[in-house]
Amino acid sequence: MALASGRTPIHLPGTTLEGGGQLLRNALALSSLTHLPLEITEIRGGRPKGKRGLKGQHLVALEWLGEACGARVEGGEKGSSRLIFIPGGRGVEGRDGSKVGGKKGQKWWTEKAVEGRKIRACKIDIGSPGSIGLVLQAVLPFIIFSLGSTTNFSEGFQVVDDTPLVLTITGGTNVSFSPSYDYIAQVLVPTLLNHLHLPPIVVSLGSRGWTHGRTDIGSVTLTITPLAPGKFLPAFSLMNRGKLQHIAITILASPASTRTLLHFKVSAALTTIFPLTPHSIVLSEDSNHPKRLYLLLVATTTANHKLGSDYLYDHKITDVDAAISRLAKKVVGGLEWEVRGGGCVDEYMQDQLVIFQALTHGRCVIDGGRKGRRKHGVEGEGMGDGDGEDEHDAGKAEAEVEREPPRAPSMHTQTARWVAHEILDVNFDAEGTCKGVGFQISERFGEEELRADLQKVEL
């Protein structure tokens, strides 16, 4: 398929690698930013029959990004297996957020003054307890990298400013197989701020949204400051994790006796596996239904890296004690696996950072862990007799781990990297390193290369 401009949409088979929503979300985010047209076929083709195609939460992200970048969309219906997404196909965006050449006067954000400061506000309603975290994955890069400018497709980008956006998303805050509100607040946002040095992001919980037990729709509000016009996201390096400093426990369960028992079992397991690392409960909250059982553990290191492990129990609960034991074993075991690898991020964070690596200006590397296992405990410290030899031995064990090959990235991470390569032509090596494209706020993507080509023609 060729467009009137002569450009052919980038074709992405939706069965590639993970074959699910990850491919769709990352592709739409990058297309919206770069204005490169897309064609995605066999959407979510890696899922079982009956679960393929666009779902409600995918449509919400698609429609929001389409409005934000003035895209022409074909195949944007529930259950659709083929999608064409052409940013700018409906016209251009004015300085006030309205569409020029699109729907008359339509805005995707409103502007108002709060305590004497100008802000933009926007709401995304999933319309069900669909995952707020997955919708956020799709729209967050656009807000950070594009909200500081508006798009004029005939004259390039017009600078606006870096006014914050207050984004409220209604849907599910605790949904199986997706980032929970708690993981976003305790792991994702701190990592983006502390190690990618993004402008301020503040996240708050309005109410819980669940698919387990009775259906409840909740809300999360984020105040997101975009990168300023003319700026790049500088290259970042997440290496040298440091030693474990603290483990935070979050428990959502009902009734109180269930929370108490789960806390007891988790605390006992952590004391056994991480005897040198203090742990404490940071949140113990009533989930308001006995079928809602959620646990999150977050390990913080001396270098301020966050490693998370969580699980929303999704089996039928016939024996509460057995369910609690199973939940504690799974989540504590997951954290142990993450810590033993020595990486600076957990496997769920690694795939969420790929899009930021690809857009940065310079070389980025993220240590996602090694295949080797530490011989002297999982905390990065010697655990011996205090005779002075253990520190030396632990150093040797650390070196042995460093010589081990990196852990294979998850299928989600592989998919995110593949999408970035197909759209931005960036490459990732086995160590998780890539050189970003240097996406500049308020500049048309690829404009520098275009200027260089024109200069060659003139010469």
Side-chain angles (χ1 to χ4, degrees):
M1 172 186 176
L3 304 178
S5 63
R7 301 174 76 178
T8 300
I10 298 168
H11 176 228
L12 302 177
T15 55
T16 305
L17 294 169
E18 182 260 346
Q22 176 86 355
L23 185 154
L24 178 71
R25 287 187 294 273
N26 280 34
L28 290 174
L30 289 175
S31 176
S32 301
L33 282 171
T34 61
H35 303 286
L36 296 174
L38 284 180
E39 179 182 11
I40 305 176
T41 54
E42 299 178 275
I43 294 172
R44 300 178 68 243
R47 295 292 182 262
K49 288 184 179 180
K51 296 186 178 181
R52 299 174 184 174
L54 292 173
K55 291 177 62 178
Q57 61 173 280
H58 306 122
L59 282 174
V60 168
L62 167 65
E63 291 168 359
W64 190 91
L65 287 169
E67 291 298 328
C69 70
R72 178 165 69 87
V73 179
E74 296 180 16
E77 301 90 26
K78 192 170 184 178
S80 175
S81 61
R82 180 174 177 266
L83 173 69
I84 295 175
F85 187 81
I86 306 171
R90 289 193 293 107
V92 301
E93 181 182 301
R95 291 177 64 87
D96 64 350
S98 63
K99 295 293 180 296
V100 181
K103 297 180 181 179
K104 185 177 179 180
Q106 184 178 29
K107 298 181 181 180
W108 60 271
W109 48 263
T110 59
E111 195 170 277
K112 58 185 179 180
V114 176
E115 297 179 352
R117 186 185 184 192
K118 182 177 72 173
I119 65 166
R120 297 175 180 134
C122 177
K123 293 183 179 180
I124 300 178
D125 183 4
I126 299 175
S128 72
S131 173
I132 289 173
L134 294 181
V135 171
L136 181 65
Q137 280 186 9
V139 304
L140 183 61
F142 182 87
I143 296 170
I144 291 173
F145 287 93
S146 189
L147 193 62
S149 62
T150 55
T151 310
N152 182 307
F153 293 95
S154 61
E155 300 177 3
F157 282 76
Q158 299 175 340
V159 173
V160 183
D161 52 40
D162 56 353
T163 300
L165 176 74
V166 179
L167 172 66
T168 299
I169 308 177
T170 58
T173 60
N174 297 84
V175 180
S176 296
F177 310 112
S178 64
S180 67
Y181 160 77
D182 309 275
Y183 183 92
I184 292 169
Q186 296 184 43
V187 183
L188 174 63
V189 170
T191 299
L192 295 178
L193 298 181
N194 296 333
H195 298 289
L196 275 63
H197 306 293
L198 289 176
I201 301 174
V202 179
V203 57
S204 62
L205 176 68
S207 59
R208 297 277 178 187
W210 300 88
T211 51
H212 289 49
R214 66 178 181 275
T215 298
D216 281 341
I217 295 178
S219 67
V220 172
T221 297
L222 299 101
T223 301
I224 306 165
T225 304
L227 289 166
K231 298 294 185 180
F232 295 102
L233 175 63
F236 55 88
S237 176
L238 276 67
M239 302 291 288
N240 304 317
R241 186 186 71 190
K243 298 178 181 179
L244 290 196
Q245 192 172 48
H246 179 260
I247 298 173
I249 306 169
T250 295
I251 294 173
L252 308 180
S254 184
S257 58
T258 299
R259 296 195 296 277
T260 300
L261 182 58
L262 179 54
H263 184 200
F264 172 79
K265 292 199 173 187
V266 170
S267 182
L270 291 176
T271 300
T272 299
I273 298 173
F274 305 99
L276 303 179
T277 303
H279 58 267
S280 62
I281 195 158
V282 296
L283 179 65
S284 180
E285 181 181 302
D286 190 348
S287 64
N288 295 311
H289 199 288
K291 292 184 178 180
R292 298 170 179 169
L293 194 56
Y294 173 80
L295 173 64
L296 166 68
L297 300 177
V298 178
T300 301
T301 74
T302 51
N304 207 19
H305 292 292
K306 306 282 187 179
L307 302 173
S309 176
D310 71 339
Y311 185 52
L312 175 62
Y313 196 80
D314 58 1
H315 299 276
K316 185 177 181 180
I317 301 176
T318 55
D319 183 330
V320 173
D321 187 77
I324 289 174
S325 297
R326 186 175 183 179
L327 175 62
K329 181 179 180 180
K330 182 178 178 66
V331 178
V332 175
L335 184 65
E336 180 186 15
W337 185 86
E338 296 289 358
V339 172
R340 282 190 180 277
C344 296
V345 296
D346 59 65
E347 68 170 320
Y348 305 108
M349 178 58 57
Q350 189 174 31
D351 74 74
Q352 295 180 68
L353 295 181
V354 167
I355 196 167
F356 293 97
Q357 286 183 272
L359 292 169
T360 55
H361 187 266
R363 180 178 177 272
C364 290
V365 59
I366 296 176
D367 184 356
R370 302 277 168 174
K371 291 182 178 179
R373 297 171 66 87
R374 300 181 188 278
K375 295 181 178 180
H376 291 261
V378 296
E379 296 160 295
E381 300 180 22
M383 296 170 56
D385 302 319
D387 57 6
E389 296 181 3
D390 301 295
E391 183 177 353
H392 174 69
D393 292 339
K396 289 169 61 179
E398 180 80 16
E400 290 171 7
V401 170
E402 290 299 319
R403 287 195 296 268
E404 291 287 341
R407 282 176 170 171
S410 70
M411 194 62 73
H412 279 84
T413 296
Q414 293 179 52
T415 302
R417 291 176 179 177
W418 177 78
V419 170
H421 171 75
E422 294 298 303
I423 297 177
L424 301 178
D425 197 28
V426 296
N427 296 295
F428 289 80
D429 64 20
E431 298 289 335
T433 302
C434 86
K435 182 179 180 181
V437 297
F439 188 88
Q440 186 175 7
I441 313 307
S442 76
E443 288 288 337
R444 183 186 294 276
F445 178 70
E447 187 170 17
E448 292 183 2
E449 291 79 0
L450 177 61
R451 289 173 180 166
D453 289 342
L454 290 174
Q455 289 175 354
K456 290 178 183 178
V457 172
E458 291 173 359
L459 290 173

